[in-house]
Amino acid sequence: MTEIPLVPPPAFDFRNTVYSHGWCSLRPFAVRQSPLRLERTLRLASDHTVACSATASGRRLTIVCEEKIRSAAARTRIAARFATMLHFDCDLSPFYRRIRRDTRHDWMARRKAGRFLRGETFFEDVVKTILTTNCSWSLTESMNGNLITACAGDPEADAHAFPTPEAIADTSERFLRERARLGYRAPFVLELSRRCARGDIDIESFRASTATAAELHKELRSIKGIGDYAAGNLLRMLGRFEHLALDSWCRSKYAEIHANGVSVPDADIERHYAEFEEWKGLVMWLDLTRHWYSDKFPL
DNA sequence: GCGTCCAGGTCTACC
DNA sequence: GGTAGACCTGGACGC
């Protein structure tokens, strides 16, 4: 076992980041309570995975690896992976300055909310987002779990990392339909994996891109299976909040909170959050999930 | 038990 | 550019 200390940036809240959206309930993530612990199997190399977990104590985080990590470089790599997954690089200080002026939403700054839990790779985020479309959350969990197990190098292992593009690319549409039960999403996931494996698309470059949100949105929309909602959702995980990424859950929650349960046109929702400009997608998401910050997280 | 609807949408063909 | 219809799955619901 190895313990690795990790110092988060200012205005970071571990719980609120872990529970920022549903990713914490999708394997290889898992959450344990009392104290809150985020578990995650990482892929250190193509044939080397390691089960880790992160806990918070005061301002500090501690990563516990279930095996002895002898290499300093590997320890640094593990710390960097957790920093990436916990969205350390997202600078929300301009957002907090803006939102503190608004008494309806200043709680977002007080609670240090707004960072999104992310996958080990952007590829993982894209695949999982495709698996959220047009289905219930329980089916998303099922498909994601099936995919991880079906593509694992060692199916007998206790814990698996998320499969690499190469591992999925080596399968077939039939395999993804029948073993992972992805349904019509199978060709989308397979095509993306093969494009990544061939080097036709540098999916990981999205995380460091300085392109505008509009340019990134257009690029994401060019991936089969990524529509307007999915692109907007992925932009949120890139720290870009110009799009609302409306889905049926958001529409329903907005109706419940702001329209007495009556569904409203998307344009009305757009108008409601328009004043927050480049932060409107974040304000909307936090507004609609505010109950998560006072109640038990629903997943 | 069976049929239908729908859930954290997207794609394609057609107009 | 806007829209209708098809698309996998599996749980919920009504009968």
Side-chain angles (χ1 to χ4, degrees):
Chain A
M1 193 173 83
T2 299
E3 287 194 3
I4 304 171
L6 190 60
V7 179
F12 174 82
D13 185 285
F14 181 60
R15 181 191 184 281
N16 292 344
T17 304
V18 169
Y19 287 135
S20 53
H21 63 139
W23 259 212
C24 64
S25 75
L26 293 181
R27 289 172 57 199
F29 284 119
V31 175
R32 303 279 178 252
Q33 302 291 342
S34 305
L36 178 64
R37 191 168 83 236
L38 177 68
E39 298 179 348
R40 168 79 202 203
T41 299
L42 297 178
R43 183 180 302 283
L44 292 189
S46 59
D47 58 348
H48 184 194
T49 61
V50 58
C52 304
S53 62
T55 54
S57 176
R59 276 272 301 136
R60 297 177 67 86
L61 300 181
T62 302
I63 303 165
V64 176
C65 306
E66 289 189 3
E67 64 180 75
K68 179 77 177 172
I69 308 296
R70 299 184 187 284
S71 153
R75 290 195 294 275
T76 301
R77 200 154 64 242
I78 291 168
R81 296 280 173 82
F82 269 88
T84 296
M85 294 188 294
L86 293 168
H87 217 172
F88 280 11
D89 64 327
C90 183
D91 179 13
L92 291 172
S93 51
F95 169 64
Y96 291 151
R97 281 196 296 275
R98 165 76 177 81
I99 211 68
R100 279 196 184 97
R101 302 198 300 266
D102 186 324
T103 55
R104 296 166 301 168
H105 302 103
D106 59 348
W107 67 270
M108 298 172 185
R110 288 200 309 275
R111 298 298 300 268
K112 302 171 187 169
R115 292 176 202 279
F116 280 75
L117 184 67
R118 316 191 298 175
E120 188 175 2
T121 62
F122 191 55
F123 172 74
E124 176 183 331
D125 287 335
V126 177
V127 172
K128 283 180 170 174
T129 297
I130 291 174
L131 301 189
T132 67
T133 58
N134 198 27
C135 64
S136 61
W137 185 254
S138 62
L139 184 56
T140 296
E141 291 180 312
S142 170
M143 289 187 287
N144 177 66
N146 294 340
L147 180 67
I148 291 170
T149 303
C151 295
D154 176 10
E156 300 303 316
D158 291 335
H160 305 300
F162 196 80
T164 61
E166 291 76 13
I168 301 177
D170 280 346
T171 68
S172 64
E173 181 179 329
R174 183 176 177 183
F175 178 89
L176 295 177
R177 282 180 185 270
E178 295 180 359
R179 290 285 299 281
R181 312 296 293 169
L182 301 192
Y184 71 89
R185 303 166 194 84
F188 301 152
V189 170
L190 186 60
E191 180 181 313
L192 171 67
S193 302
R194 289 184 171 165
R195 285 178 68 193
C196 292
R198 285 195 305 260
D200 292 348
I201 179 172
D202 183 5
I203 198 75
E204 299 310 318
S205 69
F206 278 84
R207 282 188 170 168
S209 175
T210 56
T212 65
E215 290 166 340
L216 289 173
H217 190 268
K218 187 178 175 186
E219 280 192 63
L220 288 167
R221 289 285 277 107
S222 73
I223 298 171
K224 286 273 183 63
I226 299 296
D228 190 54
Y229 151 74
N233 186 54
L234 287 165
L235 282 176
R236 274 202 293 249
M237 280 185 274
L238 293 171
R240 312 295 186 93
F241 305 107
E242 287 90 337
H243 291 256
L244 294 187
L246 289 171
D247 56 22
S248 58
W249 186 87
C250 290
R251 293 183 181 101
S252 166
K253 203 70 194 174
Y254 182 91
E256 177 189 327
I257 294 173
H258 295 292
N260 296 317
V262 178
S263 63
V264 301
D266 288 356
D268 288 9
I269 306 177
E270 285 280 353
R271 260 195 302 280
H272 184 89
Y273 296 104
E275 63 176 293
F276 299 103
E277 299 174 309
E278 73 269 31
W279 303 107
K280 64 184 176 186
L282 181 55
V283 174
M284 185 203 76
W285 181 254
L286 295 177
D287 187 36
L288 300 185
T289 60
R290 182 171 185 172
H291 57 295
W292 294 358
Y293 294 82
S294 52
D295 304 336
K296 183 178 177 294
F297 188 70
L299 298 174

